[in-house]
Amino acid sequence: MITDYSRFKSGSDIRGYALGDETNPLYMSNEMVVRSTLGFVDYLKRKTGKSSFTISVGHDSRLSAERIKSAVIMALTGSQIDVIDCGLCSTPAMFMTTVELKCDGAVQITASHHPKDRNGLKFFTPDGGLDGSDIADILDFASKNIPFGCGGASVTKCDFMAQYSAILRNMIIEGVGAGEKPLEGMKIIVDAGNGVGGFYATDVLAPLGADIDGSLYLDPDGNFPNHAPNPENAEAMQCITDATAKSGADFGIIFDTDVDRSACVGKGGFSINRNRLVALAAKVALEKNPGGTIVTDSVTSDGLAQFIKDNGGVHLRFKRGYRNVINKQLELVANGISCPLAMETSGHAAFAENYFLDDGAYLITKLIIEAAALAKKGETLEDLISKLPEPVEEKELRFKILCDNFKPEGEKIIAMFEKEAETHEGWKAADDNNEGIRINCADGNGWFLLRLSVHDPIIVLNSESNEQGGVMKMCKAVYDVISKAENIELIDISALNNYLEA
């Protein structure tokens, strides 16, 4: 029997449902996990020309982690692959096993910030994470009947998070240059959202002298009982913002489930996420890389572009998807262009100096070093971005495409707005856009972007305005155009209707 596993592809990851049973067509059964893991082994064999490997395996705090890990290890040992079982681990740390432990590959079991019933597989080689095309090949391989052996390889347990935490501690000690307790006198709290990120408070900050009292949800719990472990979630950001202000902390930190994304909060509850976080990371990156290019996703603000320019950098607004911005960064560097940072507004930040790896803990470590240096001068991280122009209003709306072959329908809508922009009074298509259609609007004093979601059958509308009521003006104009689209019944614009009627 041949099964098509292509539907489990989610960008550059494999994702599905991991609680329940096979009545759900997207259920990650043990067989599906075994086959996908063997697809990764086949990928490594083709990539390296080698027949024997050591592969590390780790997971986040999800309820299904142990079941899926057992299936992954069974597939690997059955193929004579030696395994290093890292247990509970962050996603960036799993990549670092290919550097520090010299593993030929790594498998991280995670579904990032998605609900507790989901899980997935993320693969690494020493060159970094895999691309979407690699995942497609792996799932194609997995869809075929694949025989494998019956054991013989070794499984070694390793507390790699202890080693990874030591790397971050040493980075702060060297960066701050104030002895073995460089964070003494600083109060820094962490909200791990019951994901993996609690280690940063207990194993990185506290041993360096930081007061972590007031930290939240450090214990791993795959039920995620308090809030979604997601820096983009409004409730989660409000939680760490309130906690930072209430505890009188100098700095607040929030991670997603597997710590490849983060955001932070300044003293008194000043939220630093999305454009603010990109601006802060860019400012830090450009200090040692003057004139460097900062790659961002497509939804960053005009104010951020101006801020990067004012700080001596070059802004390249690219596409949504962390692999997209990282791949553009790699392309620039390969062509001799300085590109110290690639970053999504979601919180994925890849520094060139750190293997082009999107690592939320590394980003926060860089910011803590900067904060410690500023504190000596009586300044704060917020001061670094005090001149960032910020919009008065911003809004994101999502329109579901109601058909299986959704991409052509979405592309028709994008093309419709591209044509409209040629003649619509007060509209001008942005010439620095690389995804969907971004239109600068005189009526509304801002811009809107229509794009297809990276993973889902959804058209996303992002808009920002520099005047009160400007987003409403732009959304009304968008409605006037999109409501006349051919086959509009295939596009669910109820979110736009609800916003306009509110």
Side-chain angles (χ1 to χ4, degrees), residues 137-463:
D137 288 345
I138 286 171
L139 287 171
D140 179 62
F141 186 89
S143 295
K144 303 166 185 174
N145 287 312
I146 304 168
F148 65 102
C150 53
S154 66
V155 179
T156 305
K157 296 273 189 180
C158 175
D159 180 12
F160 184 71
M161 286 305 291
Q163 188 171 336
Y164 176 72
S165 297
I167 292 171
L168 296 176
R169 288 198 306 271
N170 289 334
M171 184 177 163
I172 294 173
I173 289 170
E174 293 174 9
V176 177
E180 295 300 306
K181 300 282 185 180
L183 302 183
E184 215 156 34
M186 294 185 72
K187 186 174 180 64
I188 306 174
I189 66 170
V190 174
D191 182 342
N194 301 112
V196 178
F199 81 94
Y200 198 83
T202 58
D203 299 345
V204 178
L205 298 177
L208 297 181
D211 177 1
I212 62 168
D213 187 45
S215 291
L216 301 168
Y217 317 133
L218 303 183
D219 295 332
D221 184 344
N223 285 300
F224 307 129
N226 296 290
H227 61 66
N230 180 6
E232 282 197 294
N233 178 273
E235 179 189 1
M237 275 305 299
Q238 192 62 54
C239 186
I240 185 61
T241 298
D242 292 345
T244 303
K246 182 179 178 180
S247 66
D250 300 295
F251 196 51
I253 302 161
I254 184 168
F255 294 115
D256 72 342
T257 318
D258 60 331
V259 198
D260 60 2
R261 294 189 295 126
S262 57
C264 55
V265 179
K267 192 174 181 66
F270 180 79
S271 296
I272 306 174
N273 63 341
R274 298 186 63 78
N275 285 296
R276 288 178 178 176
L277 185 60
V278 180
L280 187 55
K283 176 85 171 179
V284 171
L286 289 169
E287 286 176 356
K288 294 183 179 179
N289 299 275
T293 296
I294 307 297
V295 179
T296 72
D297 59 359
S298 60
V299 301
T300 48
S301 67
D302 291 341
L304 176 65
Q306 186 62 48
F307 181 84
I308 291 171
K309 181 180 179 181
D310 291 345
N311 282 276
V314 176
H315 180 220
L316 196 164
R317 188 183 286 121
F318 198 51
K319 300 177 182 178
R320 286 284 280 182
Y322 71 94
R323 281 310 313 173
N324 287 329
V325 295
I326 293 173
N327 285 344
K328 175 55 72 171
Q329 179 187 34
L330 289 166
E331 176 190 319
L332 294 175
V333 171
N335 289 321
I337 298 170
S338 171
C339 186
L341 175 68
M343 190 164 179
E344 266 201 313
T345 47
S346 65
H348 285 282
F351 286 87
E353 66 190 31
N354 187 43
Y355 307 99
F356 304 95
L357 173 68
D358 51 319
D359 184 344
Y362 188 90
L363 169 62
I364 292 298
T365 299
K366 294 276 289 184
L367 297 183
I368 286 174
I369 293 169
E370 190 75 23
L374 289 167
K376 295 175 183 177
K377 302 185 290 184
E379 299 175 0
T380 66
L381 288 172
E382 301 95 286
D383 294 329
L384 293 184
I385 55 172
S386 61
K387 295 183 180 179
L388 171 67
E390 299 196 77
V392 173
E393 295 180 333
E394 57 184 323
K395 189 70 178 175
E396 179 175 287
L397 298 170
R398 291 174 170 251
F399 313 142
K400 190 169 184 179
I401 305 173
L402 306 174
C403 61
D404 291 335
N405 191 21
F406 63 87
K407 191 172 180 180
E409 294 302 325
E411 289 173 342
K412 287 178 187 176
I413 297 295
I414 303 299
M416 181 182 182
F417 276 84
E418 288 174 343
K419 185 175 181 180
E420 179 71 20
E422 295 174 0
T423 57
H424 195 111
E425 185 178 354
W427 282 14
K428 185 178 187 307
D431 56 11
D432 62 347
N433 184 60
N434 288 286
E435 182 175 41
I437 176 71
R438 183 177 176 123
I439 296 176
N440 298 315
C441 300
D443 188 14
N445 192 15
W447 58 268
F448 70 85
L449 171 74
L450 277 167
R451 61 182 175 85
L452 277 170
S453 168
V454 176
H455 304 307
D456 303 311
I458 288 171
I459 298 172
V460 185
L461 170 65
N462 293 93
S463 56

